[in-house]
């Protein structure tokens, strides 16, 4: 009798091991849902759509993108906790937003830093300082001298308060000892519209806009650690003597409490998609900088970003009080 | 002439099929309450990715055009704007349907949509690069004045008691304050409640505020939802054509207003139809009864919102700034498809633009037969439907419409709560449409005001930025005219109306 | 005459109650605006002031006006059915996350259609017919939305 039970248990264990291993290979077995906290046409929406275009071809399943814009992404992130932990309900995470918001908004953010669980950082965009093509400010030097000539009079646009553009603005001013007027806009395309209409003198924005609007705006400097191959002429702020690095990252996120097995599967599946040559090419052409920080390294990277932006976030929210 | 060649070239069966499919899907999605044009385009993105860039874009463009028109179906028949663009269509469309002229209202909406749609596309075709400059003349102060101008139609919507209309409008503005403040980063009135973090979303709120009271009143008695048509036997097509011909100035002006507002980045069809409606009711004849079932209101609203479809693509293609919210989706699709935008597109890849536009033109013309056919079909379905089926059907669409767009349970709750509030306060004489206006225009006004103030302070020119720019001056003139003129014009007609009532009672 | 006076008094009470409610909302907004940043304070404070001012004005006008405004269109039909419908909608929405879209939708459809007043008295067959129609409609929407539009509708957590 005991033998039979033992045999059953063994065979059960073997069976479950086999099914487990086959499901590792098989993820995803049904369509995968990815919630994006911004509208379908913004940099985040497009970052997700790049993957959607090739997802079916690579994995054999569909990627369903749900746009849930609101509160600078927080509307989507505040609902991560409620998602199923099976790897099929994912959320696109933006950094540094998800670090800065819980600091600035406290409980009103709707989520905490711990709710943010990245499993695969796959793309990034450095921030750039941009002006209108026919602006009297021609070079980075012009901008600096204009800011110095009359502190507080140069207007610089950016998206929102306490977001990544605002953090770049703050860091840059701190490093240079500058004083300028920050004008917040509701989204990236409004920021660019404000810049192009001459409402603001300059803007903090992303390299994606440099590609899209290359004809009508001029990039002055890039806040990354090295020059970007798409803009070989564009100097980094560090080269110019103002060591500011501020890059926005996107990661696939899982709900907190997801097992490491599932995290690994999600990370692996999406890694295959973003490693697809055409996805990479599309992203590079669009001004995105593909990166690859899979699970479990993604945890360390999140901790690093959390440390880097923790101080900035505190300063931004302290400045407000 | 190059365009004519392209029209013939794009008369390929494939493009025609793609355009018709897009149109059909767009109309159906737009007609369902809550499924907005932005949503419809976003849902269709994966399908467009499976096509070549140009057919893909035509597909998205026709979905957009169709949904903008389709929104008028539910606006007219159940007072629920299918898309935010047709909020103003409810003001006159529903009263018309209520008194038995729904078929006529739908035909007018269809023709006005085609007129507006073609205007927008032709302006794009011939004037895109120069008009893109117009988009750049809009700074924060101009947005502020534009929003204020939109709010002036509260006056024409609250015939009888202006003060209560204004209170409703302010209530809408108050609701618009919930959520993150763009200009200060504050979380306002959210009280750590995750349902309120993103603010009051406009689509569920509109559905609740305008349609739930209708549903609540539907169940009160056994009468038919819409009056039995009296004159429906006569030809709606000819009657609608005559109604538009009699108001050709209105149709033309509203198409042009729609075109211009469409070019202004991020303003969109909802604002365009509001502005066109405000202008139409300001210049209305004494005999017109805007807000009470005047065909002019539908013409203004529908021709303006469809004009934004074509013209909104002007800043999208030339400047890379979406002119209307759905254009953001089309812009994203262009990026993913790898179509280079900017002035270069017009010089180096003009064939893409021309093929796209001719596809859109054909689809817009097709909208006339398709729209009239669908209109007739849906209208007779709604009028013949037994009430015991219609009421739960409307209730079901309210729930789906508020949920689907963002896949968010909280939005259903918001729809329900606001709808109940709207019904209760309407019993106290406070109208619901101004709440929608306040909710829609509040953020635009606030952001414009605060940004203009910040810029003005930095440059020591606060007064100049608000009052010394040409478009601002023009808008201020319109606002003053909208506030001052109607009471003067109406006094005489109101007196006459009262005299007549006194005689009859 | 007495009836008319009652109507006026009733209307007056309604107007005053309405104005007071909105006036309180305005006061609350003014009070709450103090907590915000200088840039985020202006608009709510302005809106609060506007609400307060308008509601005070409405009360003043209410007491000072001598003539009757044209009476609003009378509300016809059953108030009980209206309240019942609101209650059903609330129950539906509350139950939605537990029952899931399909079950909650079918049930709500059948119950609401039963609550609609009828001209004829063939209620039992009508009810069965409407329930079938409700189930078909709900499932139809569910199929279109989940399979074609890829909108995941709420699933049951109760079963």
């Amino acid at each position: 009798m005991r033998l039979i039970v033992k045999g059953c248990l063994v065979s059960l264990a073997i069976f479950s091991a086999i099914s487990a291993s086959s499901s590792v290979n098989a993820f995803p077995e049904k369509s995968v849902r990815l919630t994006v906290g911004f509208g379908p046409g913004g940099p985040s929406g497009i970052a997700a759509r790049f993957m959607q275009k090739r997802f079916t071809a690579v994995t054999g399943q569909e990627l369903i993108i749900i746009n849930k814009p609101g509160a600078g992404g927080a509307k989507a992130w505040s609902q991560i906790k409620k998602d199923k932990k099976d790897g099929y309900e994912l959320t696109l995470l933006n950094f540094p937003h998800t670090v800065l918001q819980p600091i600035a908004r406290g409980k009103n953010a709707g989520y905490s830093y711990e709710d943010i669980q990245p499993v695969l950082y796959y793309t990034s965009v450095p921030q750039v300082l941009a002006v209108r093509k026919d602006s009297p400010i021609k070079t980075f030097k012009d901008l600096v001298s204009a800011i110095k000539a009359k502190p507080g009079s140069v207007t610089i646009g950016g998206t929102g308060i306490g977001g990544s553009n605002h953090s770049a603005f703050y860091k840059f001013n701190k490093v240079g000892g500058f004083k300028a007027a920050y004008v917040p806009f509701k989204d990236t395309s409004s920021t660019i519209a404000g810049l192009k209409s001459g409402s603001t003198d300059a803007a903090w924005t992303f390299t994606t806009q440099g590609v899209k609007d290359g004809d009508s705006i001029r990039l002055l400097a890039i806040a990354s650690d090295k020059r970007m191959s798409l803009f070989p002429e564009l100097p980094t702020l560090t080269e110019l003597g103002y060591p500011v690095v501020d890059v926005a990252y996107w990661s696939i996120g899982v709900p907190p409490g997801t097992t490491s097995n599932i995290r690994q599967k999600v990370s692996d599946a999406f890694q295959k998609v973003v490693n697809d040559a055409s996805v990479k090419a599309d992203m590079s052409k669009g001004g995105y900088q593909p990166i690859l920080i899979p699970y479990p390294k993604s945890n360390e990277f999140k901790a690093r970003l959390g440390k880097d932006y923790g101080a900035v976030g505190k300063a931004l929210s302290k400045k407000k009080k | 002439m190059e365009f004519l060649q392209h029209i013939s070239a794009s008369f390929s069966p494939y493009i025609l099929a793609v355009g018709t499919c897009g149109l059909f899907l767009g109309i159906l999605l737009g007609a369902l309450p809550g499924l907005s044009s932005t949503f419809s385009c976003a849902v269709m993105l994966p399908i467009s990715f499976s096509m070549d860039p140009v057919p893909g874009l035509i597909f998205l463009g026709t979905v957009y055009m169709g949904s903008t028109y389709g929104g008028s179906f539910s606006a007219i028949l159940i007072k629920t704007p299918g898309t935010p663009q047709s909020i103003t269509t409810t003001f006159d469309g529903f009263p018309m349907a209520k008194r038995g002229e729904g078929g006529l209202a739908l035909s007018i909406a269809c023709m006005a949509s085609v007129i507006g749609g073609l205007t927008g596309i032709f302006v794009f075709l011939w004037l895109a690069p120069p008009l893109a400059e117009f988009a750049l003349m809009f700074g924060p102060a101009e947005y502020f004045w534009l929003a204020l101008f939109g709010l002036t139609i509260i006056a024409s919507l609250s015939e009888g008691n202006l003060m209560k209309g204004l209170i409703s409008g302010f209530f809408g503005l108050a609701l618009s304050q919930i959520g993150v403040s763009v200009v200060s980063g504050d979380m306002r009135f959210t009280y750590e409640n995750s349902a309120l973090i993103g603010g009051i979303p406009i689509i569920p709120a509109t559905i609740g505020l305008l349609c739930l009271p209708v549903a609540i009143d539907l169940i009160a008695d056994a009468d038919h939802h819409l009056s039995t048509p009296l004159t429906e036997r006569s030809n709606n097509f000819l009657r609608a054509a005559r109604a538009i011909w009699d108001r050709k100035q209105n149709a033309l002006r509203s198409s042009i207003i729609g075109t211009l507002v469409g070019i202004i980045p991020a303003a969109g069809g909802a604002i365009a139809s509001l502005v066109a409606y405000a202008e139409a009711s300001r210049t209305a004849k004494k005999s017109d009864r805007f807000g009470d079932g005047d065909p002019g209101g539908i013409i203004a609203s529908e021709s303006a919102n469809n004009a934004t479809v074509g013209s909104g693509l002007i800043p999208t293609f030339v400047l890379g700034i979406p002119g209307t919210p759905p254009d953001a989706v089309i812009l994203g699709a262009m990026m993913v498809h790898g179509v280079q935008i900017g002035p270069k597109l017009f010089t180096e890849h003009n064939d893409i633009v021309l093929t796209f536009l001719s596809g859109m033109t054909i689809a817009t013309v097709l909208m006339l037969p398709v729209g009239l056919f669908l209109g007739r079909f849906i209208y007779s379905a709604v009028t013949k439907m037994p009430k015991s089926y219609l009421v739960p059907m409307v209730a079901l669409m309210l729930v789906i419409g508020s949920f689907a767009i963002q896949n968010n349970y909280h939005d259903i709750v918001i729809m329900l709560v606001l709808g109940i509030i709207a019904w209760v306060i309407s019993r106290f004489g406070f109208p619901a449409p101004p709440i929608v206006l306040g909710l829609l225009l509040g953020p635009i006004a606030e952001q414009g005001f605060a940004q203009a103030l910040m810029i003005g302070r930095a440059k020591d020119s606060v007064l100049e930025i608000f009052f010394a720019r040409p478009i601002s001056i023009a808008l201020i003139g319109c606002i003053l005219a909208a506030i001052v003129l109607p009471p003067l014009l109406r006094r005489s007609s109101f007196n006459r109306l009262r005299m007549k009532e006194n005689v009859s009672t | 005459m007495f009836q008319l006076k009652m109507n006026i008094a009733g209307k007056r009470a309604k107007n005053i109650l309405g104005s007071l409610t909105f006036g309180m909302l305005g006061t609350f907004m003014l009070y709450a605006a103090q907590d915000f940043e200088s840039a985020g304070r202006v608009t709510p404070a302005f809106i609060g002031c506007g609400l307060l001012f308008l509601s005070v004005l409405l009360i003043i006008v209410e007491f000072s006006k001598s003539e009757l405004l044209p009476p609003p269109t009378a509300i016809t039909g059953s108030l009980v059915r209206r309240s019942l419908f609101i209650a059903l909608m609330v129950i539906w929405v509350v139950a939605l996350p537990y029952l899931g879209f399909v079950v909650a939708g079918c049930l709500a459809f059948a119950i609401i259609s039963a609550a609609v007043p009828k001209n004829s008295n063939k209620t039992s067959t009508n009810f069965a017919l409407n329930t079938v129609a409700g189930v078909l409609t709900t499932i139809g929407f569910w199929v279109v939305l989940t399979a074609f539009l890829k909108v995941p509708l709420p699933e049951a957590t109760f079963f």
Side-chain angles (χ1 to χ4, degrees):
Chain A
M1 189 61 198
R2 198 176 278 174
L3 210 69
I4 299 172
V5 172
K6 227 178 192 174
C8 279
L9 280 178
V10 167
S11 59
L12 200 72
I14 290 169
F15 178 71
S16 63
I18 290 169
S19 66
S21 71
S22 73
S23 68
V24 166
N25 300 330
F27 183 88
E29 288 174 311
K30 56 177 181 176
S31 54
V32 178
R33 195 170 102 189
L34 181 68
T35 307
V36 179
F38 296 86
S44 301
I46 296 172
R49 297 285 170 182
F50 282 131
M51 293 188 290
Q52 188 184 35
K53 196 178 163 190
R54 294 288 298 158
F55 195 84
T56 315
V58 176
T59 66
Q61 295 294 339
E62 250 175 310
L63 180 66
I64 299 169
I65 293 176
I66 291 166
N67 294 94
K68 213 177 270 193
K75 197 170 170 182
W77 301 323
S78 66
Q79 294 177 5
I80 294 181
K81 292 186 287 270
K82 293 181 195 152
D83 283 341
K84 283 202 193 113
K85 300 171 181 34
D86 59 359
Y88 291 94
E89 298 190 359
L90 308 170
T91 307
L92 191 67
L93 302 175
N94 294 51
F95 291 84
H97 309 54
T98 46
V99 177
L100 294 172
Q101 282 175 359
I103 298 172
R105 298 177 184 170
K107 276 192 174 161
N108 261 325
Y111 65 95
S112 67
Y113 176 69
E114 285 70 36
D115 292 341
I116 299 302
Q117 297 293 332
V119 291
L120 175 74
Y121 288 87
Y122 70 96
T123 192
S124 66
V125 294
Q127 299 203 50
V128 286
L129 254 175
V131 293
R132 204 174 131 110
K133 191 124 243 178
D134 53 4
S135 158
I137 298 168
K138 298 283 173 216
T139 61
F140 180 76
K141 263 196 190 131
D142 291 346
L143 181 72
V144 170
S145 51
I147 292 174
K148 279 183 179 161
K150 201 171 167 222
S153 77
V154 173
T155 52
I156 300 183
T159 306
I161 296 275
S164 53
N165 291 159
H166 196 198
S167 113
F169 172 83
Y170 166 79
K171 283 190 196 164
F172 178 60
N173 283 4
K174 199 176 166 210
V175 165
F178 301 134
K179 193 169 179 289
Y182 180 74
V183 183
F185 286 85
K186 76 170 178 346
D187 50 28
T188 304
S189 69
S190 305
T191 308
I192 295 298
L195 179 69
K196 287 184 181 172
S197 68
S199 301
T200 54
D201 298 319
W204 273 107
T205 187
F206 303 104
T207 44
T208 47
Q209 303 312 118
V211 178
K212 219 154 66 168
D213 309 298
D215 295 331
S216 48
I217 65 173
R218 189 196 348 266
L219 308 184
L220 299 180
I222 183 168
S224 59
D225 46 10
K226 56 177 189 288
R227 292 193 181 202
M228 216 168 140
S229 56
L230 202 61
F231 308 104
E233 313 280 293
L234 188 65
T236 64
L237 278 170
T238 316
E239 285 172 44
L240 294 163
Y242 301 91
V244 174
V245 176
D246 208 317
V247 181
Y249 296 93
W250 281 278
S251 168
I252 308 290
V254 294
T258 308
T259 61
S260 62
N261 184 16
I262 288 175
R263 286 177 197 232
Q264 193 65 55
K265 280 198 266 180
V266 173
S267 176
D268 291 347
F270 275 88
Q271 201 172 334
K272 262 185 240 152
V273 177
V274 294
N275 267 336
D276 183 89
S278 88
V279 173
K280 264 195 170 152
D282 283 345
M283 288 203 280
S284 308
K285 221 169 113 189
Y288 293 78
Q289 221 172 19
I291 52 166
L292 213 59
I293 305 173
Y295 183 79
K297 275 192 202 140
S298 55
N299 286 341
E300 294 157 30
F301 195 66
K302 179 202 165 195
R304 211 189 91 197
L305 290 174
K307 215 173 107 217
D308 285 359
Y309 284 96
V312 180
K314 283 203 185 82
L316 284 177
S317 51
K318 206 178 286 165
K319 219 173 76 185
K320 280 166 63 185
K321 288 284 140 53
Chain B
M1 283 314 97
E2 203 185 343
F3 179 61
L4 285 180
Q5 283 165 17
H6 268 279
I7 282 233
S8 56
S10 59
F11 230 98
S12 75
Y14 178 54
I15 296 277
L16 209 61
V18 162
T20 316
C21 275
L23 195 68
F24 215 77
L25 288 171
I27 292 177
L28 290 180
L29 290 178
L32 287 174
L35 306 188
S36 69
S37 304
T38 316
F39 173 85
S40 309
C41 290
V43 162
M44 294 299 156
L45 264 180
I47 301 180
S48 87
F49 288 156
S50 66
M51 304 176 187
D52 285 336
V54 176
L57 288 177
I58 290 176
F59 181 68
L60 287 178
T62 50
V63 167
Y64 179 15
M65 182 69 91
S67 65
T68 304
Y69 160 62
S72 68
F73 285 95
S74 40
I76 290 169
L77 296 175
I78 54 169
K79 206 188 173 182
T80 308
T83 64
Q85 291 101 301
S86 50
I87 288 173
T88 38
T89 311
T90 60
F91 299 164
D92 286 291
F94 185 64
M96 273 186 85
K98 199 81 194 150
R99 65 170 182 244
E101 296 186 318
L104 178 65
L106 286 174
S107 302
I108 291 176
C110 181
M111 287 180 206
S113 296
V114 174
I115 293 172
L118 287 178
T119 312
I121 292 172
F122 288 144
V123 168
F124 184 142
L125 178 62
W126 286 303
L127 293 171
L131 264 183
E133 295 298 312
F134 176 76
L136 297 182
M137 290 167 77
F138 254 75
E142 283 81 2
Y143 280 105
F144 171 67
W145 292 119
L146 183 72
L148 284 200
F149 182 52
L151 285 173
T152 61
I153 34 170
I154 290 179
S156 66
L157 287 182
S158 34
E159 192 82 40
N161 200 334
L162 179 60
M163 234 171 319
K164 285 185 174 172
L166 283 176
I167 289 183
S168 287
F170 269 90
F171 179 55
L173 290 175
L175 289 176
S176 79
Q177 295 296 302
I178 297 172
V180 182
S181 159
V182 168
V183 291
S184 72
D186 284 307
M187 297 297 283
R188 293 187 296 202
F189 308 107
T190 54
Y191 305 108
E192 299 175 14
N193 184 334
S194 61
L196 295 176
I197 283 174
I200 303 286
I202 186 76
I203 289 166
T206 313
I207 296 178
L209 289 168
L210 296 181
C211 188
L212 193 64
V214 175
I216 292 175
D217 282 337
L218 269 180
I219 204 164
D221 52 41
D223 293 350
H224 264 290
H225 165 49
L226 305 174
S227 299
T228 340
L230 297 172
T231 48
E232 290 301 317
R233 292 287 152 257
S234 66
N235 197 332
N236 277 328
F237 181 80
L238 289 178
R239 284 177 69 211
R242 185 163 318 129
I244 291 183
W245 180 252
D246 288 344
R247 295 169 182 78
K248 49 188 176 297
Q249 267 180 324
N250 180 351
L252 190 67
R253 182 185 52 232
S254 305
S255 300
I256 291 172
I257 289 175
T259 307
L260 290 179
V261 177
I263 297 169
I264 302 167
I271 313 281
S273 51
L274 278 176
V275 172
Y277 189 90
E279 271 302 295
S281 70
R282 185 173 73 76
T283 53
K285 287 193 248 80
K286 280 177 200 164
S287 57
D288 295 343
R289 302 202 61 184
F290 274 76
D292 198 20
D294 192 287
I298 301 178
I299 297 175
S301 171
E302 283 301 309
S303 53
N305 66 26
N306 281 282
T308 60
V309 177
S311 71
L313 290 166
I314 295 176
T316 316
F317 276 52
V318 182
L319 304 170
I321 303 170
T324 64
D327 288 334
V329 183
I330 295 180
L331 189 62
M334 290 171 84
M335 279 200 69
V336 177
H337 271 307
V339 177
Q340 186 69 43
I341 48 158
K344 262 188 211 150
L345 180 66
F346 288 82
T347 49
E348 288 170 23
H349 303 288
N350 207 12
D351 52 325
I352 293 182
V353 178
L354 286 177
T355 314
F356 172 70
L357 284 178
S358 40
M360 289 291 290
T361 310
I362 294 169
T364 310
V365 173
L366 275 178
M367 200 156 81
L368 194 64
V370 172
L372 286 174
F373 168 75
L374 277 177
R376 176 162 289 205
F377 179 71
I378 292 180
Y379 179 63
S380 74
V382 170
T383 45
K384 285 184 189 130
M385 203 180 275
K387 218 171 185 181
S388 56
Y389 185 70
L390 183 70
V391 177
M393 176 83 174
V394 169
L396 187 68
M397 288 207 292
L398 291 181
V399 171
I400 294 175
S402 43
F403 177 84
I405 188 143
Q406 287 200 354
N407 193 28
N408 201 341
Y409 173 69
H410 298 317
D411 290 351
I412 309 180
V413 179
I414 287 173
M415 181 276 295
L416 189 63
V417 170
L418 287 181
I420 295 172
I421 290 177
W423 180 71
V424 170
I425 67 171
S426 75
R427 301 212 56 174
F428 285 73
F430 296 94
I435 307 178
V436 178
L437 296 192
L439 194 58
L440 185 70
L441 297 170
I444 301 176
E446 182 187 19
Q447 286 162 28
F449 181 77
Q451 289 162 352
L453 203 63
M454 286 171 182
I455 293 167
R457 280 200 188 129
K459 303 285 181 206
D460 289 325
S461 62
V462 174
L463 286 180
E464 285 96 315
I465 204 168
F466 277 106
F467 297 104
R469 291 161 57 112
I471 293 184
S472 290
I473 294 172
L475 284 170
I476 295 169
C478 292
I479 294 169
L480 290 178
I483 294 173
V484 178
L485 282 182
L488 293 180
L489 290 174
R490 213 162 284 150
R491 185 135 297 167
S492 52
S493 66
F494 182 65
N495 284 339
R496 205 167 40 224
L497 196 81
R498 212 159 43 166
M499 266 161 67
K500 217 161 66 189
E501 269 174 12
N502 284 344
V503 169
S504 64
T505 45
Chain C
M1 196 60 206
F2 177 71
Q3 189 76 37
L4 193 68
K5 257 190 196 147
M6 278 299 287
N7 276 346
I8 297 170
K11 240 193 107 211
R12 177 154 290 174
K14 264 188 177 177
N15 278 345
I16 288 166
L17 189 64
S19 335
L20 281 178
T21 314
F22 283 113
M24 266 154 55
L25 179 68
T27 319
F28 166 72
M29 285 194 79
L30 268 176
Y31 172 74
Q34 294 170 349
D35 297 345
F36 304 140
E37 294 289 310
S38 57
R41 196 185 298 151
V42 187
T43 331
F46 168 76
I47 295 167
C49 281
L51 273 174
L52 198 58
F53 171 77
L54 284 166
S55 43
V56 169
L57 201 65
L58 195 66
I59 293 180
I60 293 172
V61 170
E62 189 58 43
F63 278 112
S64 67
K65 82 182 163 202
S66 51
E67 57 171 327
L68 266 167
L69 281 172
T73 45
I75 291 163
T76 56
S78 156
L79 196 61
V80 178
R81 281 190 199 276
R82 286 191 168 98
S83 314
L84 181 69
F85 177 70
I86 293 178
L88 283 176
M89 286 296 288
V90 171
I91 294 170
W92 182 3
V93 170
V94 170
L96 192 60
Y98 302 102
L99 297 180
F101 173 80
V102 177
V103 176
C106 293
L107 282 178
F109 203 106
I111 297 171
I112 289 177
S113 82
V116 174
K118 300 193 180 57
N119 284 324
S120 60
N121 41 13
K122 288 187 292 179
T123 38
S124 59
T125 50
N126 266 351
F127 181 72
L129 205 69
N130 283 327
T131 309
V132 172
V135 170
L136 288 179
T137 313
T138 313
I139 291 177
F141 268 114
W142 180 73
V143 168
V144 168
L145 280 156
T146 49
F148 178 59
L149 298 179
K150 313 281 175 202
V151 176
L153 291 164
E155 280 166 25
T157 54
F158 195 62
F159 303 119

